[in-house]
Amino acid sequence: MAATLYAFGAMSHKDVTAIYPGTFDPLTNGHLDLISRGSKIVDQLVVAILRNSDKGAPLFSVPEREEMLREATAGFGNVTVATFDGLLVDFAKMRGAQAVLRGIRAISDYEYEFQMAMMNRKLNPEIETLFMMPAEKYTYVSSRLIKGVYRLGGDVTSLVPPLVMERLKSKVAAD
Ligand code: PNS
C-alpha cells in the first residue's frame, strides 16, 4: 500500500488539454453530461463547434450554438468554448491539446467513432482519443432526434438545458 502511494506521489502531473468536438445543433443534456465528466478528468476542456459541418442546413447558426454552449458551461471553471474549421487534429495541435474527447452512447456509435479515432491517429499520432459514456438516461438522446421530436410537438424538456429549450421554442415558432 505504502509503495503504491509512493509511486503515485512520484508521478509527474501532466497538464492535459482535451478537445470535445461536435456539431452541437443544439446542445443536449447528453453533451452537458459528457462535458461534466470530461472536465473532471482533464485539466482544460475545450468544447469545439465545427463551423463547416456537412450535415445539411443547421437549425441554429454557429454563433447561436456558441452562445448556448457558453451559457450552459459557465459554471465549469476549466471549460472553454471555441469554433473550428478544417481538420480536428490541426485545431487540437493549435490549442496545445493532447486528446480528443468523444462520447459513445451505444454500440451503433462505435463504428463511426472508431473510424474517426483511427483516422485522427493516422493524421496525428500524438493526439489520443478518449471515449466516455454519458449517463444511462441520455444514451438515446441526439441533437437530430431532439430537433425532429420537438418539431412534431413532442416534449423534450428533460433532455436539453432550459436555455436551449427557450431557444428551440422561439426558433421553431419562427420557422
Ligand atoms: O457531433 P458530430 O457531428 O458527430 O461531430 C463530428 C466531428 C465534428 C467530430 C467531425 O465531423 C470532425 O472532427 N470534423 C472535422 C474534420 C476532420 O477532422 N475530419 C477527419 C476526422 S475523420
Side-chain angles (χ1 to χ4, degrees):
M1 186 65 180
T4 314
L5 284 176
Y6 177 76
F8 273 117
M11 252 163 44
S12 68
H13 177 74
K14 286 191 179 148
D15 200 9
V16 177
T17 295
I19 310 288
Y20 178 40
T23 314
F24 303 105
D25 183 36
L27 168 72
T28 69
N29 281 345
H31 293 132
L32 258 191
D33 181 87
L34 216 78
I35 291 169
S36 164
R37 287 170 200 279
S39 71
K40 290 183 190 132
I41 297 296
V42 302
D43 298 286
Q44 297 298 327
L45 186 64
V46 181
V47 182
I49 307 164
L50 177 65
R51 283 199 297 267
N52 58 344
S53 171
D54 56 7
K55 279 190 170 173
L59 180 60
F60 292 100
S61 70
V62 171
E64 284 172 327
R65 284 179 259 160
E66 205 178 342
E67 222 175 283
M68 286 188 272
L69 265 163
R70 285 230 160 87
E71 255 183 78
T73 59
F76 297 99
N78 63 344
V79 176
T80 50
V81 179
T83 65
F84 78 105
D85 246 335
L87 286 178
L88 173 61
V89 290
D90 291 345
F91 176 72
K93 190 173 175 188
M94 201 246 300
R95 295 298 294 254
Q98 298 85 348
V100 165
L101 174 67
R102 290 286 290 173
I104 292 209
R105 292 163 297 190
I107 292 291
S108 48
D109 281 339
Y110 178 77
E111 207 166 328
Y112 169 62
E113 293 299 333
F114 178 80
Q115 278 188 336
M116 271 206 305
M118 289 300 129
M119 180 56 85
N120 284 335
R121 179 177 283 168
K122 173 85 185 152
L123 294 169
N124 186 341
E126 286 180 3
I127 295 183
E128 290 294 342
T129 301
L130 307 175
F131 290 114
M132 294 185 88
M133 274 83 69
E136 231 173 291
K137 60 183 173 186
Y138 299 132
T139 44
Y140 63 95
V141 177
S142 71
S143 300
R144 187 179 53 84
L145 270 186
I146 295 286
K147 286 182 282 192
V149 168
Y150 186 75
R151 275 190 176 120
L152 296 174
D155 182 11
V156 295
T157 318
S158 60
L159 305 178
V160 295
L163 65 104
V164 172
M165 199 61 220
E166 286 312 308
R167 298 253 190 163
L168 264 175
K169 279 183 195 157
S170 40
K171 179 68 76 176
V172 173
D175 259 6

